[in-house]
Amino acid sequence: MMRVYELAKQLGWTSSQLITVLKDRGEYVKSAGSRVESPVVRAMLRDFAAQISTSTEEFTERIVDPGMYGRSVATRDASDAELSFTADLARIKAQPSPTGNRRTPQHGWMAPILKALLDEVIVPARPHHLGAPQGPYYAWEVKKAKALHQQWVREQLNGLDGEDDTIIEWIRLSRDGQRPQTATELSRAGITVGEAALRLKYGRINPNNDNIFQRFRDGRISRTQAVAEVHQWRRTHNAG
């Protein structure tokens, strides 16, 4: 386990740069003094080792603890583990990078929820007159997606149930990625994302009706009414 500022120093980054990348990966960190769990430390060292400015020998001497890499490494001779890691690090550093020595979340790893917000919400709404950006996204698009991403991550902490795939389905249902609180309220009421997408009237499918999510979001039904609609549909559906 490391503090943010300690890991940032090892990577040659500022604490604020590291906090940004950690948040993009879904990690909950607030400041340079926040703790970073060992699995996350290992992943960061693995994914961004090419940016470390110190020499290979100095890096392995100061950072690499064979115990951090699991029992299989710990059972080997320490010098073997060090040599193996040195070779891997040299191989990674030899690979060309499209952005030089500095990788950004836009070109490297990107949190699945953030990528879904970009690809399925932000980019489809891109004004046509702008054309295509030089990279995958415009900087303002990434900034907007990050703001939405933080809202969805916050709602996961507030009780929005499900893994990344489920959260992405909620985002698709919302269409614009806004109001994640709506998804949280329905989820906490025991309504799944699939049920929230149903167009119901008196517990039966009605294509002319808006779905549960839309009606609840817009205040046309209460949470109690939404739950009652879904429960009635479950009874009808199971009976059929």
Side-chain angles (χ1 to χ4, degrees):
M1 183 179 295
M2 283 187 180
R3 301 280 186 181
V4 167
Y5 70 86
E6 293 173 327
L7 181 55
K9 183 177 179 181
Q10 303 295 357
L11 291 171
W13 296 356
T14 65
S15 294
S16 60
Q17 287 174 323
L18 178 56
I19 289 171
T20 297
V21 174
L22 287 172
K23 285 184 176 180
D24 287 341
R25 290 185 168 220
E27 299 299 326
Y28 186 68
V29 288
K30 289 184 176 180
S31 66
S34 298
R35 295 181 182 274
V36 184
E37 297 294 330
S38 295
V40 180
V41 171
R42 292 197 296 270
M44 293 297 294
L45 293 177
R46 179 194 67 222
D47 294 345
F48 297 98
Q51 296 182 24
I52 299 171
S53 59
T54 56
S55 68
T56 300
E57 292 77 16
E58 184 182 355
F59 175 80
T60 53
E61 181 180 346
R62 289 194 294 120
I63 302 176
V64 180
D65 174 9
M68 291 178 66
Y69 292 86
R71 295 181 182 177
S72 60
V73 173
T75 56
R76 296 186 300 173
D77 182 81
S79 60
D80 290 341
E82 192 168 314
L83 287 172
S84 175
F85 186 86
T86 300
D88 289 341
L89 181 60
R91 175 180 53 78
I92 292 171
K93 294 181 77 171
Q95 294 176 351
S97 172
T99 55
N101 284 333
R102 188 66 63 181
R103 288 199 291 174
T104 66
Q106 183 170 340
H107 295 91
W109 185 92
M110 185 175 289
I113 294 174
L114 176 60
K115 183 167 177 53
L117 285 164
L118 277 164
D119 293 342
E120 303 190 33
V121 175
I122 306 298
V123 172
R126 178 187 294 165
H128 294 295
H129 71 274
L130 291 181
Q134 291 183 349
Y137 314 106
Y138 287 104
W140 61 267
E141 291 176 325
V142 176
K143 183 177 180 181
K144 184 175 181 180
K146 285 182 177 179
L148 289 173
H149 180 238
Q150 289 182 2
Q151 293 180 36
W152 285 94
V153 170
R154 190 180 305 119
E155 290 308 309
Q156 282 184 288
L157 298 175
N158 289 339
L160 180 54
D161 190 32
E163 301 296 330
D164 286 351
D165 289 347
T166 302
I167 305 304
I168 291 170
E169 288 300 319
W170 281 112
I171 290 171
R172 288 171 179 155
L173 183 58
S174 73
R175 295 186 179 181
D176 59 2
Q178 304 284 346
R179 299 281 298 275
Q181 300 90 341
T182 300
T184 301
E185 288 192 57
L186 292 174
S187 178
R188 292 174 68 177
I191 297 175
T192 68
V193 62
E195 291 170 337
L198 293 173
R199 299 173 181 270
L200 298 177
K201 186 171 184 179
Y202 306 121
R204 295 184 179 276
I205 300 295
N206 186 328
N208 297 321
N209 248 20
D210 287 331
N211 62 46
I212 293 290
F213 183 94
Q214 293 170 314
R215 292 159 65 198
F216 179 66
R217 179 195 60 197
D218 298 342
R220 285 177 279 160
I221 57 172
S222 67
R223 183 167 66 173
T224 301
Q225 290 172 318
V227 170
E229 282 267 28
V230 170
H231 283 180
Q232 190 172 354
W233 175 82
R234 287 175 185 171
R235 290 193 295 270
T236 304
H237 184 70
N238 291 335

